[in-house]
Every structure is written in structure tokens, then in C-alpha cells.
Amino acid sequence: MRRNTFLKSLAAIAMPSGLALNARAATALKLMIPANPGGGYDLNGRAIGKAIVESGGASSATYENRGGAAGTIGLAQFASSTKGDPGALLSMGSVMLGGILVNKSSVTLAQATPIARLTTEYNVFVVPPNSPFKNMQDVMAQYKKDPGSVRWGGGSRGSSEHLTAAMVAHAVGTDASKINYLAFRGGGEASAAILGGNVSVGGGGYSELAEYIVSGRVRAIAVTSSERLMGSDIPTLKEQGINIETSIWRGLYGAPGLTDNQRKELIALVVKATQHPSWREALKKNDWTPALLTGDDFARFVDQEFKTMRESMTQIGML
């Protein structure tokens, strides 16, 4: 063995494990985005990846989009290909929980490592500018007459907009299982279908549709918040006699099989990234509400969300 190689080997052995992990984690970040480009997962994942790099948590970041089945296709690939990799992250959120249930996915979040919840936002429902529907009550009146005539559009089956549409149908005393729901492989595709007039009513996260609402390319008829959003005149579902409030949250999971130290370091670099101006700018630009929750607290939150979603889906006949 050459002397310089030998000395490098000794240095690696002598280096504390935490420092070695930092070196590996800082080399390159690989972020799986389980949706097609242009939607909420994509925007959120790329924004946090950028903030991690700019805050010094990684030297670079690469992104892989793998859409379909409300994120469960990307989850399956992530779980099978990243075991023990401290530089791998999965963009995920409430949509994925619904996808796991509706698609009866054999791969679940139990096969990855919870890192952090990042943001929340609300769903908004929109119609084409020339739609005869002036509000959600008009939509549901037509749905009661002929459920199949109302084409709902949004993300994958099991997504928050799919679940919310079913909850609205159930709340007004109609059969939620008869919803004519057109599922797309991410918010980008869903937005394109909505803009193209291929659906009667479109749903998505406010950040995905805000620019089209502001420009007048679509008309917003309901938001799922408890009160009207600041600076917005979009009526809530509750204002329209439909007692439903839902939100979307997004976060990050790490690879399967991480050590406690690897997990702690990933959490630390994500927390540091959320304090960087790059992330604060993304929050403002996309109207995301910061909702940082990490580690075991985040894991318990996900477990409770999963339980609540299963109960809701069972009650309205989605499962």
C-alpha cells in the first residue's frame, strides 16, 4: 500500500462517525419526487432541495420525478433502491397517505424513515371562466341530478382533492362512490386538464392554481380553509353550507435503514435549510404555511393522519 493511501485510510478510521456522515451527506443530495413535474410535490421538493444546497447541507442536488398512484410508485422505487443512503430524500405528504389506502399499496411509509413535515396549504376548487357553475352549491345541485355529468379533476386517486370531493358529496347527502373523478399523475397534469376545460370542476393545492386564478384563466368557487385566505375573495365551503375543512401538508422521508446518527443529521440539515432565505422566499412565493415538525413527533403525526384518513375514507365509501 502506498504511504499516502495508508495515511488516508488511517485518517478515515480516526475520523469520528458524525464527521464522516457529514462528509457523505454533503457530497450530493438525491431527491425522489413521486409526481410529474409542475405540481405541489415537485415545487416543494425542489424548493427544499435548493435550500439544503444553498445552506451548505449538500454540495449539489439531483431530482427524479416518478409520478403515478398518488405517489406510491415513487415510494416503492425509493424504498427498494436507497437502503442506508443518508443522501437520499423522498418528497411526500398527505396525498401519499390516501394513495397508500386507495391503491392498497404493498409498500408503505413504514419502509422509510420519517424526517420532517415542512408546509401546509389548503385545497381550492376551480371551474372554467365560462362555466355555468357559480359556486359549489350549483355544482352539487347538478351532481344530485346526474352524478356522471360532473367531471371532477385533480391529482391521483386518493389525493386530497379526490377525498375532499367525495367528502363534499357525502356531506350533501349524495353517493360519494358515484363521483366521476378524472385522476392525473400530478398537479401539473391536473392543472393542464383544468385549463383545457377537460373537467367540470378542478381541485388542487392553492399554490398550484393561484397564478391561474389571479390571471382569470380559471374561476375559484371554494377553498377548504375555515376562513377566507388573506387577500382572497374565494368563499369557503363552510360559507356555502358544507361543513368541511381540509388541508394539504408536505414533508420529507429518508431512506430505509438509516442509523440514529444519520437520521439526526438529516433532520439537522433540513431544519437549517428551513431557516435559509431561499426557503423563506419559496414559502412566500407559493403561499405555503410553514409547519415544521421533525423526527418522532412527525412520525406520530403521520400515524394519526393515516388513522384519521382511513376512518374518513371508510365512512364515505371510498374504501
Side-chain angles (χ1 to χ4, degrees):
M1 180 182 291
R2 291 183 179 177
R3 183 174 183 275
N4 61 343
T5 303
F6 176 71
L7 291 175
K8 287 179 182 178
S9 299
L10 285 179
I13 294 170
M15 183 182 294
S17 59
L19 294 177
L21 281 169
N22 274 330
R24 286 200 300 272
T27 300
L29 177 70
K30 300 182 289 294
L31 212 151
M32 166 65 75
I33 299 174
N36 285 4
Y41 272 148
D42 191 55
L43 293 172
N44 204 274
R46 290 176 186 271
I48 194 62
K50 181 174 183 283
I52 289 172
V53 171
E54 293 187 359
S55 63
S59 60
S60 62
T62 57
Y63 307 90
E64 180 176 0
N65 289 85
R66 183 68 65 182
T72 56
I73 293 175
L75 169 63
Q77 179 176 322
F78 181 82
S80 66
S81 64
T82 63
K83 186 174 181 179
D85 185 350
L89 284 172
L90 170 72
S91 179
M92 54 74 65
S94 50
V95 172
M96 185 175 284
L97 305 190
I100 290 170
L101 289 167
V102 169
N103 295 294
K104 298 179 174 62
S105 175
S106 59
V107 180
T108 72
L109 286 166
Q111 291 159 268
T113 305
I115 299 299
R117 184 185 66 189
L118 297 171
T119 61
T120 63
E121 66 174 309
Y122 293 101
N123 276 118
V124 63
F125 287 100
V126 300
V127 296
N130 60 352
S131 171
F133 301 136
K134 304 303 179 186
N135 49 48
M136 188 58 80
Q137 292 169 329
D138 288 348
V139 174
M140 298 319 298
Q142 178 60 32
Y143 182 80
K144 288 180 179 180
K145 292 178 185 177
D146 181 5
S149 68
V150 180
R151 301 187 310 279
W152 302 80
S156 301
R157 291 178 68 251
S159 65
S160 55
E161 49 267 34
H162 183 199
L163 174 58
T164 302
M167 290 172 69
V168 169
H170 182 76
V172 298
T174 56
D175 189 346
S177 68
K178 292 183 179 180
I179 280 184
N180 181 10
Y181 186 80
L182 305 180
F184 299 92
R185 293 168 65 91
E189 284 188 12
S191 295
I194 293 166
L195 293 170
N198 298 319
V199 299
S200 309
V201 184
Y206 181 78
S207 65
E208 297 168 328
L209 295 167
E211 65 175 294
Y212 308 123
I213 295 170
V214 172
S215 67
R217 297 179 68 185
V218 296
R219 180 161 46 83
I221 59 170
V223 65
T224 62
S225 53
S226 60
E227 300 177 351
R228 294 192 182 195
L229 302 179
M230 186 177 296
S232 167
D233 61 356
I234 305 171
T236 66
L237 286 173
K238 289 186 174 182
E239 283 181 62
Q240 301 178 65
I242 302 170
N243 190 28
I244 291 174
E245 179 184 346
T246 63
S247 63
I248 306 167
W249 56 265
R250 297 188 178 95
L252 295 168
Y253 264 58
L258 296 183
T259 66
D260 287 344
N261 281 340
Q262 287 173 324
R263 184 190 187 200
K264 287 176 182 176
E265 291 205 4
L266 265 180
I267 291 171
L269 69 85
V270 169
V271 170
K272 183 179 179 183
T274 63
Q275 298 165 353
H276 192 270
S278 171
W279 180 247
R280 292 198 293 270
E281 181 180 329
L283 293 174
K284 182 178 180 180
K285 178 182 178 181
N286 294 289
D287 290 300
W288 293 328
T289 300
L292 187 64
L293 188 69
T294 63
D296 291 340
D297 289 337
F298 177 47
R300 284 188 287 270
F301 168 80
V302 171
D303 287 344
Q304 183 58 48
E305 284 283 287
F306 196 82
K307 178 182 177 183
T308 300
M309 191 171 289
R310 182 190 293 276
E311 291 171 353
S312 296
M313 286 184 163
T314 300
Q315 181 183 14
I316 63 179
M318 286 183 71
L319 296 181

Short mmCIF file of all heavy atoms in Angstrom, two decimals, residues 8-63:
data_model
loop_
_atom_site.label_atom_id
_atom_site.label_comp_id
_atom_site.label_asym_id
_atom_site.label_seq_id
_atom_site.Cartn_x
_atom_site.Cartn_y
_atom_site.Cartn_z
N LYS A 8 -4.38 8.09 4.34
CA LYS A 8 -5.80 8.41 4.15
C LYS A 8 -6.68 7.39 4.84
O LYS A 8 -7.71 7.72 5.42
CB LYS A 8 -6.12 8.45 2.66
CG LYS A 8 -5.56 9.68 1.94
CD LYS A 8 -5.92 9.64 0.46
CE LYS A 8 -5.32 10.84 -0.27
NZ LYS A 8 -5.63 10.80 -1.72
N SER A 9 -6.28 6.12 4.80
CA SER A 9 -7.05 5.07 5.46
C SER A 9 -7.07 5.28 6.96
O SER A 9 -8.10 5.15 7.61
CB SER A 9 -6.46 3.69 5.13
OG SER A 9 -6.52 3.46 3.75
N LEU A 10 -5.88 5.62 7.52
CA LEU A 10 -5.81 5.89 8.95
C LEU A 10 -6.70 7.08 9.33
O LEU A 10 -7.37 7.06 10.36
CB LEU A 10 -4.36 6.18 9.36
CG LEU A 10 -3.41 4.99 9.45
CD1 LEU A 10 -2.02 5.48 9.84
CD2 LEU A 10 -3.91 3.97 10.47
N ALA A 11 -6.70 8.10 8.48
CA ALA A 11 -7.49 9.29 8.77
C ALA A 11 -8.98 8.95 8.80
O ALA A 11 -9.74 9.44 9.63
CB ALA A 11 -7.23 10.38 7.73
N ALA A 12 -9.40 8.10 7.85
CA ALA A 12 -10.81 7.72 7.79
C ALA A 12 -11.21 6.95 9.03
O ALA A 12 -12.31 7.12 9.58
CB ALA A 12 -11.09 6.89 6.55
N ILE A 13 -10.30 6.05 9.50
CA ILE A 13 -10.59 5.26 10.69
C ILE A 13 -10.67 6.15 11.92
O ILE A 13 -11.52 5.99 12.79
CB ILE A 13 -9.51 4.18 10.89
CG1 ILE A 13 -9.59 3.16 9.75
CG2 ILE A 13 -9.65 3.49 12.23
CD1 ILE A 13 -8.42 2.20 9.71
N ALA A 14 -9.78 7.15 11.98
CA ALA A 14 -9.71 8.02 13.16
C ALA A 14 -10.83 9.05 13.20
O ALA A 14 -11.17 9.55 14.26
CB ALA A 14 -8.36 8.75 13.19
N MET A 15 -11.44 9.34 12.03
CA MET A 15 -12.47 10.38 11.97
C MET A 15 -13.72 9.96 12.74
O MET A 15 -14.20 8.85 12.57
CB MET A 15 -12.86 10.64 10.50
CG MET A 15 -13.89 11.76 10.32
SD MET A 15 -14.34 11.96 8.59
CE MET A 15 -12.79 12.53 7.92
N PRO A 16 -14.24 10.80 13.61
CA PRO A 16 -15.48 10.48 14.32
C PRO A 16 -16.60 10.18 13.33
O PRO A 16 -16.67 10.79 12.27
CB PRO A 16 -15.78 11.75 15.13
CG PRO A 16 -14.46 12.45 15.25
CD PRO A 16 -13.71 12.12 14.01
N SER A 17 -17.48 9.23 13.73
CA SER A 17 -18.52 8.80 12.81
C SER A 17 -19.41 9.94 12.35
O SER A 17 -19.84 10.00 11.21
CB SER A 17 -19.40 7.72 13.46
OG SER A 17 -19.99 8.22 14.65
N GLY A 18 -19.70 10.89 13.22
CA GLY A 18 -20.55 12.01 12.85
C GLY A 18 -19.94 12.83 11.74
O GLY A 18 -20.62 13.26 10.81
N LEU A 19 -18.62 13.09 11.79
CA LEU A 19 -17.96 13.86 10.76
C LEU A 19 -17.96 13.11 9.44
O LEU A 19 -18.12 13.69 8.37
CB LEU A 19 -16.52 14.19 11.18
CG LEU A 19 -16.38 15.13 12.38
CD1 LEU A 19 -14.92 15.32 12.74
CD2 LEU A 19 -17.03 16.47 12.08
N ALA A 20 -17.79 11.80 9.51
CA ALA A 20 -17.82 11.01 8.29
C ALA A 20 -19.19 11.10 7.64
O ALA A 20 -19.32 11.22 6.42
CB ALA A 20 -17.48 9.55 8.60
N LEU A 21 -20.23 11.06 8.45
CA LEU A 21 -21.58 11.17 7.93
C LEU A 21 -21.80 12.53 7.27
O LEU A 21 -22.39 12.63 6.21
CB LEU A 21 -22.60 10.98 9.05
CG LEU A 21 -22.87 9.53 9.47
CD1 LEU A 21 -23.67 9.52 10.75
CD2 LEU A 21 -23.61 8.79 8.38
N ASN A 22 -21.28 13.59 7.91
CA ASN A 22 -21.41 14.91 7.33
C ASN A 22 -20.76 14.98 5.96
O ASN A 22 -21.29 15.58 5.03
CB ASN A 22 -20.76 15.97 8.25
CG ASN A 22 -21.73 16.45 9.31
OD1 ASN A 22 -22.92 16.45 9.09
ND2 ASN A 22 -21.20 16.82 10.47
N ALA A 23 -19.61 14.36 5.83
CA ALA A 23 -18.91 14.38 4.56
C ALA A 23 -19.73 13.69 3.48
O ALA A 23 -19.85 14.17 2.36
CB ALA A 23 -17.54 13.70 4.71
N ARG A 24 -20.32 12.54 3.83
CA ARG A 24 -21.11 11.82 2.84
C ARG A 24 -22.39 12.57 2.50
O ARG A 24 -22.75 12.70 1.35
CB ARG A 24 -21.45 10.42 3.37
CG ARG A 24 -20.25 9.47 3.36
CD ARG A 24 -20.72 8.03 3.41
NE ARG A 24 -21.51 7.74 4.61
CZ ARG A 24 -20.98 7.35 5.76
NH1 ARG A 24 -19.67 7.25 5.90
NH2 ARG A 24 -21.74 7.09 6.80
N ALA A 25 -23.06 13.08 3.54
CA ALA A 25 -24.32 13.77 3.30
C ALA A 25 -24.11 15.04 2.49
O ALA A 25 -24.97 15.45 1.73
CB ALA A 25 -25.01 14.09 4.62
N ALA A 26 -22.95 15.68 2.68
CA ALA A 26 -22.71 16.95 2.00
C ALA A 26 -22.26 16.75 0.56
O ALA A 26 -22.17 17.70 -0.20
CB ALA A 26 -21.66 17.75 2.76
N THR A 27 -21.95 15.53 0.15
CA THR A 27 -21.46 15.30 -1.20
C THR A 27 -22.54 15.58 -2.24
O THR A 27 -22.37 16.38 -3.14
CB THR A 27 -20.97 13.84 -1.36
OG1 THR A 27 -19.92 13.63 -0.42
CG2 THR A 27 -20.47 13.60 -2.76
N ALA A 28 -23.67 14.91 -2.14
CA ALA A 28 -24.75 15.10 -3.12
C ALA A 28 -26.06 14.63 -2.51
O ALA A 28 -26.10 13.63 -1.80
CB ALA A 28 -24.45 14.33 -4.39
N LEU A 29 -27.10 15.37 -2.80
CA LEU A 29 -28.44 15.03 -2.34
C LEU A 29 -29.22 14.45 -3.51
O LEU A 29 -29.21 14.99 -4.62
CB LEU A 29 -29.15 16.28 -1.83
CG LEU A 29 -30.60 16.15 -1.36
CD1 LEU A 29 -30.66 15.36 -0.07
CD2 LEU A 29 -31.22 17.53 -1.19
N LYS A 30 -29.89 13.33 -3.28
CA LYS A 30 -30.74 12.71 -4.30
C LYS A 30 -32.18 12.75 -3.79
O LYS A 30 -32.50 12.13 -2.78
CB LYS A 30 -30.31 11.27 -4.57
CG LYS A 30 -28.88 11.15 -5.06
CD LYS A 30 -28.49 9.72 -5.36
CE LYS A 30 -28.35 8.89 -4.10
NZ LYS A 30 -27.22 9.33 -3.26
N LEU A 31 -33.02 13.49 -4.49
CA LEU A 31 -34.38 13.69 -4.01
C LEU A 31 -35.39 13.07 -4.97
O LEU A 31 -35.44 13.43 -6.14
CB LEU A 31 -34.65 15.19 -3.84
CG LEU A 31 -35.62 15.55 -2.71
CD1 LEU A 31 -35.29 16.92 -2.16
CD2 LEU A 31 -37.06 15.49 -3.16
N MET A 32 -36.15 12.11 -4.46
CA MET A 32 -37.22 11.47 -5.23
C MET A 32 -38.49 12.29 -5.10
O MET A 32 -38.95 12.57 -3.99
CB MET A 32 -37.46 10.05 -4.72
CG MET A 32 -38.76 9.41 -5.20
SD MET A 32 -38.82 9.14 -6.98
CE MET A 32 -37.71 7.72 -7.13
N ILE A 33 -39.05 12.69 -6.23
CA ILE A 33 -40.31 13.43 -6.26
C ILE A 33 -41.36 12.51 -6.89
O ILE A 33 -41.32 12.27 -8.10
CB ILE A 33 -40.17 14.74 -7.04
CG1 ILE A 33 -39.11 15.62 -6.37
CG2 ILE A 33 -41.51 15.46 -7.12
CD1 ILE A 33 -38.78 16.88 -7.12
N PRO A 34 -42.29 11.97 -6.10
CA PRO A 34 -43.20 10.95 -6.59
C PRO A 34 -44.41 11.51 -7.34
O PRO A 34 -45.56 11.14 -7.09
CB PRO A 34 -43.62 10.23 -5.31
CG PRO A 34 -43.62 11.32 -4.29
CD PRO A 34 -42.49 12.23 -4.66
N ALA A 35 -44.15 12.42 -8.26
CA ALA A 35 -45.19 13.01 -9.09
C ALA A 35 -44.53 13.60 -10.33
O ALA A 35 -43.32 13.82 -10.34
CB ALA A 35 -45.93 14.11 -8.32
N ASN A 36 -45.33 13.88 -11.34
CA ASN A 36 -44.79 14.50 -12.54
C ASN A 36 -44.46 15.97 -12.26
O ASN A 36 -44.95 16.56 -11.30
CB ASN A 36 -45.78 14.38 -13.69
CG ASN A 36 -45.82 12.97 -14.25
OD1 ASN A 36 -45.16 12.07 -13.75
ND2 ASN A 36 -46.60 12.77 -15.30
N PRO A 37 -43.64 16.59 -13.11
CA PRO A 37 -43.23 17.99 -12.88
C PRO A 37 -44.42 18.95 -12.86
O PRO A 37 -45.44 18.73 -13.50
CB PRO A 37 -42.31 18.29 -14.07
CG PRO A 37 -41.79 16.95 -14.49
CD PRO A 37 -42.92 16.00 -14.26
N GLY A 38 -44.28 20.01 -12.07
CA GLY A 38 -45.22 21.11 -12.10
C GLY A 38 -46.22 21.18 -10.97
O GLY A 38 -46.89 22.20 -10.80
N GLY A 39 -46.35 20.11 -10.17
CA GLY A 39 -47.33 20.11 -9.10
C GLY A 39 -46.73 20.45 -7.75
O GLY A 39 -45.57 20.86 -7.64
N GLY A 40 -47.53 20.25 -6.70
CA GLY A 40 -47.10 20.63 -5.36
C GLY A 40 -45.91 19.84 -4.85
O GLY A 40 -45.00 20.41 -4.24
N TYR A 41 -45.91 18.51 -5.07
CA TYR A 41 -44.76 17.71 -4.66
C TYR A 41 -43.48 18.23 -5.32
O TYR A 41 -42.43 18.34 -4.68
CB TYR A 41 -44.93 16.26 -5.12
CG TYR A 41 -45.67 15.34 -4.18
CD1 TYR A 41 -46.44 14.29 -4.67
CD2 TYR A 41 -45.58 15.48 -2.80
CE1 TYR A 41 -47.10 13.43 -3.83
CE2 TYR A 41 -46.25 14.62 -1.95
CZ TYR A 41 -47.01 13.59 -2.47
OH TYR A 41 -47.66 12.74 -1.63
N ASP A 42 -43.59 18.52 -6.61
CA ASP A 42 -42.43 18.96 -7.38
C ASP A 42 -41.91 20.31 -6.89
O ASP A 42 -40.72 20.48 -6.64
CB ASP A 42 -42.81 19.03 -8.86
CG ASP A 42 -41.61 19.20 -9.78
OD1 ASP A 42 -40.69 18.37 -9.70
OD2 ASP A 42 -41.60 20.15 -10.57
N LEU A 43 -42.83 21.25 -6.74
CA LEU A 43 -42.43 22.58 -6.27
C LEU A 43 -41.80 22.52 -4.88
O LEU A 43 -40.76 23.13 -4.62
CB LEU A 43 -43.65 23.50 -6.25
CG LEU A 43 -44.29 23.88 -7.59
CD1 LEU A 43 -45.60 24.62 -7.36
CD2 LEU A 43 -43.34 24.72 -8.42
N ASN A 44 -42.45 21.76 -3.99
CA ASN A 44 -41.99 21.67 -2.62
C ASN A 44 -40.64 20.96 -2.53
O ASN A 44 -39.72 21.42 -1.85
CB ASN A 44 -43.03 20.94 -1.78
CG ASN A 44 -42.97 21.28 -0.31
OD1 ASN A 44 -42.22 20.68 0.43
ND2 ASN A 44 -43.79 22.23 0.11
N GLY A 45 -40.51 19.83 -3.24
CA GLY A 45 -39.28 19.06 -3.20
C GLY A 45 -38.09 19.83 -3.75
O GLY A 45 -37.00 19.82 -3.17
N ARG A 46 -38.29 20.49 -4.88
CA ARG A 46 -37.18 21.24 -5.48
C ARG A 46 -36.81 22.47 -4.65
O ARG A 46 -35.64 22.85 -4.57
CB ARG A 46 -37.54 21.65 -6.91
CG ARG A 46 -37.58 20.44 -7.87
CD ARG A 46 -38.03 20.82 -9.28
NE ARG A 46 -38.19 19.61 -10.07
CZ ARG A 46 -37.22 19.04 -10.78
NH1 ARG A 46 -36.00 19.58 -10.80
NH2 ARG A 46 -37.44 17.94 -11.48
N ALA A 47 -37.81 23.07 -4.00
CA ALA A 47 -37.52 24.24 -3.17
C ALA A 47 -36.70 23.86 -1.95
O ALA A 47 -35.73 24.56 -1.60
CB ALA A 47 -38.83 24.91 -2.74
N ILE A 48 -37.04 22.75 -1.29
CA ILE A 48 -36.26 22.36 -0.10
C ILE A 48 -34.89 21.85 -0.52
O ILE A 48 -33.89 22.07 0.18
CB ILE A 48 -37.01 21.33 0.77
CG1 ILE A 48 -36.35 21.20 2.15
CG2 ILE A 48 -37.10 19.99 0.10
CD1 ILE A 48 -36.35 22.46 2.98
N GLY A 49 -34.80 21.17 -1.67
CA GLY A 49 -33.51 20.72 -2.16
C GLY A 49 -32.58 21.90 -2.42
O GLY A 49 -31.40 21.88 -2.05
N LYS A 50 -33.09 22.93 -3.04
CA LYS A 50 -32.32 24.15 -3.32
C LYS A 50 -31.86 24.79 -2.01
O LYS A 50 -30.70 25.21 -1.89
CB LYS A 50 -33.19 25.12 -4.12
CG LYS A 50 -32.52 26.44 -4.49
CD LYS A 50 -33.47 27.23 -5.40
CE LYS A 50 -32.84 28.54 -5.87
NZ LYS A 50 -32.84 29.57 -4.82
N ALA A 51 -32.76 24.84 -1.03
CA ALA A 51 -32.41 25.46 0.25
C ALA A 51 -31.36 24.64 0.99
O ALA A 51 -30.48 25.21 1.67
CB ALA A 51 -33.66 25.62 1.11
N ILE A 52 -31.42 23.31 0.90
CA ILE A 52 -30.41 22.47 1.54
C ILE A 52 -29.04 22.73 0.94
O ILE A 52 -28.04 22.87 1.66
CB ILE A 52 -30.79 20.97 1.41
CG1 ILE A 52 -32.00 20.66 2.30
CG2 ILE A 52 -29.61 20.08 1.81
CD1 ILE A 52 -32.58 19.26 2.10
N VAL A 53 -28.97 22.82 -0.37
CA VAL A 53 -27.68 23.09 -1.03
C VAL A 53 -27.18 24.48 -0.66
O VAL A 53 -26.01 24.66 -0.28
CB VAL A 53 -27.83 22.97 -2.57
CG1 VAL A 53 -26.56 23.46 -3.26
CG2 VAL A 53 -28.11 21.52 -2.96
N GLU A 54 -28.05 25.49 -0.74
CA GLU A 54 -27.62 26.87 -0.50
C GLU A 54 -27.29 27.13 0.97
O GLU A 54 -26.54 28.08 1.27
CB GLU A 54 -28.69 27.83 -1.01
CG GLU A 54 -28.83 27.78 -2.52
CD GLU A 54 -29.75 28.85 -3.07
OE1 GLU A 54 -30.32 29.64 -2.28
OE2 GLU A 54 -29.91 28.88 -4.31
N SER A 55 -27.81 26.30 1.87
CA SER A 55 -27.47 26.45 3.29
C SER A 55 -26.27 25.60 3.68
O SER A 55 -25.90 25.56 4.86
CB SER A 55 -28.68 26.08 4.16
OG SER A 55 -29.03 24.71 3.98
N GLY A 56 -25.65 24.93 2.71
CA GLY A 56 -24.44 24.16 2.96
C GLY A 56 -24.66 22.72 3.39
O GLY A 56 -23.72 22.03 3.75
N GLY A 57 -25.89 22.22 3.31
CA GLY A 57 -26.16 20.85 3.72
C GLY A 57 -25.79 19.81 2.69
O GLY A 57 -25.68 18.62 2.99
N ALA A 58 -25.62 20.23 1.44
CA ALA A 58 -25.22 19.33 0.36
C ALA A 58 -24.49 20.14 -0.70
O ALA A 58 -24.72 21.35 -0.84
CB ALA A 58 -26.43 18.64 -0.26
N SER A 59 -23.59 19.49 -1.41
CA SER A 59 -22.84 20.19 -2.46
C SER A 59 -23.65 20.34 -3.72
O SER A 59 -23.43 21.26 -4.53
CB SER A 59 -21.55 19.43 -2.77
OG SER A 59 -21.85 18.12 -3.22
N SER A 60 -24.63 19.45 -3.93
CA SER A 60 -25.47 19.50 -5.11
C SER A 60 -26.74 18.71 -4.83
O SER A 60 -26.82 17.96 -3.86
CB SER A 60 -24.75 18.91 -6.33
OG SER A 60 -24.46 17.53 -6.10
N ALA A 61 -27.72 18.86 -5.72
CA ALA A 61 -28.97 18.11 -5.58
C ALA A 61 -29.45 17.67 -6.95
O ALA A 61 -29.41 18.44 -7.91
CB ALA A 61 -30.04 18.96 -4.90
N THR A 62 -29.88 16.42 -7.04
CA THR A 62 -30.50 15.92 -8.25
C THR A 62 -31.91 15.46 -7.91
O THR A 62 -32.20 15.06 -6.78
CB THR A 62 -29.71 14.74 -8.85
OG1 THR A 62 -29.59 13.69 -7.86
CG2 THR A 62 -28.32 15.18 -9.28
N TYR A 63 -32.79 15.53 -8.90
CA TYR A 63 -34.20 15.26 -8.67
C TYR A 63 -34.70 14.22 -9.68
O TYR A 63 -34.39 14.31 -10.87
CB TYR A 63 -35.03 16.53 -8.80
CG TYR A 63 -34.51 17.67 -7.96
CD1 TYR A 63 -33.57 18.57 -8.47
CD2 TYR A 63 -34.94 17.85 -6.65
CE1 TYR A 63 -33.07 19.61 -7.69
CE2 TYR A 63 -34.45 18.88 -5.86
CZ TYR A 63 -33.51 19.76 -6.40
OH TYR A 63 -33.02 20.78 -5.64
#
